[in-house]
């Protein structure tokens, strides 16, 4: 975007004059810098000109919606139309091929034109805390949100009864992933609202649904979840916020909640908080927590916003990244609230919200990998440095593009593998969510439980693994740029700062590992791993016999071996845990990452098979080179990334004494004494 464009003038009209230079995109600043110093740069020589050339190139490196990748997964890997044909009760009929193409194309346009320019603005400006009930979002956030809600995007997959469009959940997820890549912090606002909507839909009374769902689904209001408090972090058994019953059936909520993402803002008039609190007679610990709906403004019987409701913003956090999202401390002072679900079962109900957020956080990992990869790829093609080890590849230039160097290719391929494989992993869970909603609509409780168990097994793998690998991809993006990656104007370091929280919030990687290995597998007497490895074996055997290429068959054989090894390792951990429960804690993170690499390879095998089939038939809708690139990337995954499992396999069985044997006093003899 050149200086003086309509977009730049628009920013100037809504931002104080003294802040305009800060708010303008680095691209516009860079273009002015290059244009204004062209003559001087020639006089000063190559080094200065080279640096300015980097900034000038950065001016055109905006987000591009990866529609070819999305459509390949939707049409050739996950067979979306076949899937939708089975959703008789939950909007499948409305999601025909034309509708899917329209949703993807329009959301892609919105992400490129409206959201992508806000990513840097959100980071540079951030949110402002202006008073007890006033938080201001970065310039452009509200305008983009108004465009989003006017288009009906928030209600795409919600029931028509409450003002939604009644289309499948997975169709909305396809667009969410693109929006998250274009501007993660903006996407958090409607994203957290979906968690509130899902929670009220699942557990709220008809009265709560009728009053609160229509404005949430339209986007007129947003929602949050309020879990943690200063004293408890992730240990929610320590929640102390109080809920006092009132004669009219409401409750007075009093307490302080921290780290509330999008806890207040200027994009809507009301914010609906889902708050964990304790009733006066509640038992201690996790079994004494209830869930309450607490609006920022009281809502009349006619649905109109009323007086402020004692939800005061004490502060917004000054964070490492995600500056466009207002992370609030909220002080509830006799705020009017309403019980969601059953008393003392708040944690059970809140897991509807938490699981929505965990899948959303997995998307954050994929989004960071995609954005960092997009930024890095053009740079690696244009940046000239040194010569190839096998001879000049750019003989007319002073050096070769860095993409010719093996180490740069290793980093780019790792980013590509994480972004594209992770996207497929997320889509799988989105489709499973469709299946569960369809089963609920049919009243098939057995199918609901089966699908819920399946998603429960996969969710910690997605959340834990994809956020860790998203962090790795963002790190590699900075590394590919070298020193220029450390400079804010080049946009890579923001990706790394923004995604760092992903492996922390909604449960750290350690918590996800314990959830997977301890809660999901051990407490269910190994049933989930037996079922999963059985499915993995069946898929591998089928491809060994009928895969579309020799490479597919070889990779399927590798997956077959892993299906047996994974199961055997789990049994070995279970045997050790019978003697010492710390065995589970020691193994859990390595176990999760081991599972993640196998899952990533499984999805790359599916993509490789789809690509090989299209190459063999010549009937693919995408260019031949696209499918060939998929085959080559799958080879990289199996040859370079999947072998990482060997380290995790060994580390799972670190002796308990090696980790737990040291006394607390022995960790340091200089500090923390």
């Amino acid at each position: 975007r050149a200086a003086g464009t309509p977009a730049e003038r628009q920013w100037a009209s809504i931002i104080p004059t003294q802040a305009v230079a800060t708010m303008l995109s680095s691209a516009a600043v860079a273009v002015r810098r290059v244009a204004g110093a062209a003559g001087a740069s020639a006089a000063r020589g190559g080094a200065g000109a080279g640096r300015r050339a980097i900034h000038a190139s950065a001016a055109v490196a905006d987000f591009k919606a990866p529609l070819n990748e999305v459509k390949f997964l939707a049409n050739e890997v996950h067979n979306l139309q076949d899937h939708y044909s089975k959703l008789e009760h939950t909007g499948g009929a409305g999601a025909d091929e034309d509708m899917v193409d329209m949703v993807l194309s329009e959301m892609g346009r919105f992400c490129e034109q409206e959201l992508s320019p806000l990513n840097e603005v959100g980071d540079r400006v951030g949110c402002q805390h202006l008073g007890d009930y006033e938080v201001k979002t970065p310039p452009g956030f509200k305008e983009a949100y108004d465009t989003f809600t006017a288009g009906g995007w928030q209600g795409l997959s919600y029931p028509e009864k409450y003002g939604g469009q009644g289309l499948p959940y997975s169709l909305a997820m396809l667009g969410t992933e693109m929006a998250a890549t274009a501007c993660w912090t903006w996407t958090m606002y409607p994203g957290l609202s979906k968690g509130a909507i899902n929670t009220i839909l699942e557990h709220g009374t008809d009265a709560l649904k009728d009053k609160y769902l229509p404005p949430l689904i339209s986007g007129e209001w947003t929602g949050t979840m309020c879990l943690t408090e200063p004293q408890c972090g992730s240990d929610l058994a320590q929640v102390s916020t109080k809920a006092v019953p009132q004669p009219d059936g409401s409750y007075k909520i009093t307490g302080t909640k921290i780290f509330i993402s999008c806890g207040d803002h200027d994009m809507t008039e009301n914010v609906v908080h889902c708050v964990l609190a304790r009733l006066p007679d509640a038992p201690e610990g996790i079994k004494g927590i209830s869930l309450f709906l607490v609006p920022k403004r009281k809502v009349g019987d006619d649905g109109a916003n009323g007086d402020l409701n004692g939800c005061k913003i004490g502060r917004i956090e000054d964070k490492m990244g995600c500056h466009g999202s207002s992370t609030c401390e909220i002080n509830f002072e006799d705020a009017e609230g309403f019980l969601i679900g059953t008393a003392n079962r708040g944690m059970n109900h809140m897991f509807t919200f938490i699981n929505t957020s965990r899948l959303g956080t997995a998307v954050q990992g994929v989004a960071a990998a995609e954005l960092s990869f997009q930024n890095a790829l053009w740079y690696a093609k244009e940046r000239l440095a040194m010569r190839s080890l096998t001879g000049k590849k750019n003989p007319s230039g002073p050096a070769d593009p860095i993409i010719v160097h093996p180490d740069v290719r290793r980093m780019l391929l790792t980013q590509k593998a994480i972004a594209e494989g992770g996207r497929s992993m997320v889509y799988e869970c989105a489709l499973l969510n469709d299946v569960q909603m369809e089963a609920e609509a049919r009243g098939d409780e057995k199918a609901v439980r089966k699908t819920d168990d399946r998603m429960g097994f996969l969710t910690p793998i997605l959340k834990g693994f994809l956020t860790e690998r998203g962090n790795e991809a963002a790190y590699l993006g900075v590394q590919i740029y070298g020193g220029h990656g450390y400079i804010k104007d080049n946009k890579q370091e923001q990706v790394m700062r923004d995604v760092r929280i992903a492996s922390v919030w909604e449960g750290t990687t350690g918590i996800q590992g314990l959830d997977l290995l301890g809660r999901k597998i051990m407490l269910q007497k190994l049933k989930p791993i037996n079922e999963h490895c059985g499915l993995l074996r069946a898929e591998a055997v089928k491809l060994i016999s009928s895969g579309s290429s020799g490479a597919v068959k070889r990779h399927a054989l590798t997956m077959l071996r892993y299906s047996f090894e994974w199961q055997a390792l789990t049994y070995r951990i279970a045997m050790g845990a019978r003697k010492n429960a710390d065995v589970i804690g020691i193994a859990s993170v390595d176990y999760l990452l081991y599972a993640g690499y196998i899952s990533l390879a499984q999805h790359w095998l599916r993509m490789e098979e789809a690509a090989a089939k299209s190459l063999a038939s010549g009937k693919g809708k995408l260019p031949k080179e696209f499918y060939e690139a998929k085959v080559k990337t799958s080879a990289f995954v199996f040859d370079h990334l999947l072998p990482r499992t060997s380290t995790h396999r060994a580390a799972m069985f670190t002796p308990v004494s090696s980790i737990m044997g040291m006394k607390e006093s022995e960790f340091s003899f200089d500090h923390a004494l």
Side-chain angles (χ1 to χ4, degrees), residues 24 43 53 86 97 145 153 178 196 229 246 248 328 338 357 369 386 411 444 487 496 501 529 540 562 659:
L24 294 176
K86 300 171 185 175
E97 192 168 351
Y145 186 79
W153 290 106
M178 289 191 285
E229 299 175 4
Q246 302 299 300
D248 63 357
C328 298
F338 304 91
S357 297
M386 301 183 290
M411 292 187 283
D444 188 344
I487 305 302
M496 190 166 76
I501 190 64
I529 194 64
Y562 270 103
I659 291 180

Side-chain angles (χ1 to χ4, degrees), residues 227-229 232-240 257 276 278 285-286 289 347 350 354:
L227 281 68
T228 196
E229 299 175 4
C232 64
S234 295
D235 184 6
L236 297 177
Q238 298 184 49
V239 162
S240 62
K257 297 291 184 177
L276 291 180
R278 291 185 183 280
I286 207 77
I289 297 175
M347 277 307 302
M350 186 57 99
I354 291 170

Side-chain angles (χ1 to χ4, degrees), residues 18-66:
Q18 65 269 25
V20 170
T22 305
M23 299 311 106
L24 294 176
S25 70
S26 63
V29 175
V31 168
R32 284 200 301 273
R33 182 189 302 124
V34 174
S41 68
R44 286 194 294 269
R51 178 172 179 177
R52 275 182 293 280
I54 291 165
H55 289 286
S57 296
V60 298
D62 292 323
F63 166 75
K64 179 70 175 175

Side-chain angles (χ1 to χ4, degrees), residues 218-295:
S218 70
E220 181 183 349
W221 301 345
T222 62
T224 77
M225 63 174 173
C226 300
L227 281 68
T228 196
E229 299 175 4
Q231 77 282 357
C232 64
S234 295
D235 184 6
L236 297 177
Q238 298 184 49
V239 162
S240 62
T241 296
K242 302 298 182 184
V244 179
Q246 302 299 300
D248 63 357
S250 66
Y251 296 79
K252 292 294 185 183
I253 310 298
T254 301
T256 296
K257 297 291 184 177
I258 62 170
F259 301 158
I260 310 307
S261 296
C262 308
D264 197 64
H265 52 79
D266 57 355
M267 301 199 305
T268 62
E269 290 188 7
N270 211 346
V271 181
V272 177
H273 304 293
C274 294
V275 183
L276 291 180
R278 291 185 183 280
L279 293 166
D281 58 350
E284 294 183 0
I286 207 77
K287 295 182 179 180
I289 297 175
S290 299
L291 180 62
F292 299 88
L293 184 156
V294 185

Side-chain angles (χ1 to χ4, degrees), residues 150-329:
W153 290 106
Q154 182 71 322
L156 191 70
S157 62
Y158 287 113
E160 294 177 272
K161 176 181 178 181
Y162 299 111
Q165 298 184 49
L167 292 169
Y169 167 87
S170 59
L171 184 56
M173 178 57 77
L174 302 185
T176 296
E177 185 256 322
M178 289 191 285
T181 308
C183 185
W184 167 255
T185 55
W186 180 94
T187 306
M188 289 177 65
Y189 292 90
L192 283 160
S193 298
K194 291 180 179 180
I197 293 168
N198 294 342
T199 303
I200 298 168
L201 269 173
E202 185 74 17
H203 306 292
T205 63
D206 287 341
L208 284 181
K209 292 176 185 178
D210 291 342
K211 179 180 281 191
Y212 289 94
L213 285 179
L216 282 168
I217 286 172
S218 70
E220 181 183 349
W221 301 345
T222 62
T224 77
M225 63 174 173
C226 300
L227 281 68
T228 196
E229 299 175 4
Q231 77 282 357
C232 64
S234 295
D235 184 6
L236 297 177
Q238 298 184 49
V239 162
S240 62
T241 296
K242 302 298 182 184
V244 179
Q246 302 299 300
D248 63 357
S250 66
Y251 296 79
K252 292 294 185 183
I253 310 298
T254 301
T256 296
K257 297 291 184 177
I258 62 170
F259 301 158
I260 310 307
S261 296
C262 308
D264 197 64
H265 52 79
D266 57 355
M267 301 199 305
T268 62
E269 290 188 7
N270 211 346
V271 181
V272 177
H273 304 293
C274 294
V275 183
L276 291 180
R278 291 185 183 280
L279 293 166
D281 58 350
E284 294 183 0
I286 207 77
K287 295 182 179 180
I289 297 175
S290 299
L291 180 62
F292 299 88
L293 184 156
V294 185
K296 173 183 176 179
R297 288 184 175 274
K298 295 181 180 181
V299 181
D301 292 338
D302 60 355
N305 290 319
D307 295 336
L308 291 165
N309 189 29
C311 307
K312 294 184 178 180
I313 307 303
R315 58 180 287 165
I316 57 174
E317 304 294 346
D318 185 8
K319 310 185 296 289
M320 173 182 180
C322 291
H323 298 155
S325 163
S326 56
T327 303
C328 298
E329 173 190 276

Side-chain angles (χ1 to χ4, degrees), residues 38-176:
S41 68
R44 286 194 294 269
R51 178 172 179 177
R52 275 182 293 280
I54 291 165
H55 289 286
S57 296
V60 298
D62 292 323
F63 166 75
K64 179 70 175 175
L67 292 177
N68 286 330
E69 296 291 343
V70 173
K71 291 179 180 179
F72 169 68
L73 286 176
N75 298 327
E76 301 187 50
V77 179
H78 293 287
N79 300 312
L80 218 57
Q81 287 306 308
D82 180 63
H83 167 77
Y84 287 156
S85 71
K86 300 171 185 175
L87 304 182
E88 298 178 2
H89 300 84
T90 50
D96 59 23
E97 192 168 351
D98 288 341
M99 173 61 77
V100 173
D101 283 346
M102 184 275 290
V103 167
L104 293 178
S105 297
E106 288 303 309
M107 180 51 75
R109 181 203 59 77
F110 175 74
C111 293
E112 291 176 356
Q113 297 181 12
E114 303 289 339
L115 295 188
S116 180
L118 299 179
N119 197 38
E120 187 177 13
V121 174
D123 182 60
R124 296 293 184 96
V125 184
C127 297
Q128 300 174 57
H129 180 206
L130 302 178
D132 286 346
Y133 299 99
E134 188 176 5
V135 172
K136 185 175 179 60
T137 54
F141 270 47
K142 176 173 172 50
E143 291 78 5
Y145 186 79
D146 289 344
T147 300
F148 177 80
T149 56
W153 290 106
Q154 182 71 322
L156 191 70
S157 62
Y158 287 113
E160 294 177 272
K161 176 181 178 181
Y162 299 111
Q165 298 184 49
L167 292 169
Y169 167 87
S170 59
L171 184 56
M173 178 57 77
L174 302 185
T176 296

Side-chain angles (χ1 to χ4, degrees), residues 640-668:
H640 188 82
L641 295 182
L642 189 57
R644 293 181 179 183
T645 54
S646 61
T647 299
H648 295 299
R649 182 175 62 238
M652 284 181 218
F653 299 101
T654 301
V656 172
S657 60
S658 294
I659 291 180
M660 305 304 295
M662 184 178 288
K663 297 177 182 178
E664 292 179 13
S665 61
E666 295 173 339
F667 274 83
S668 175

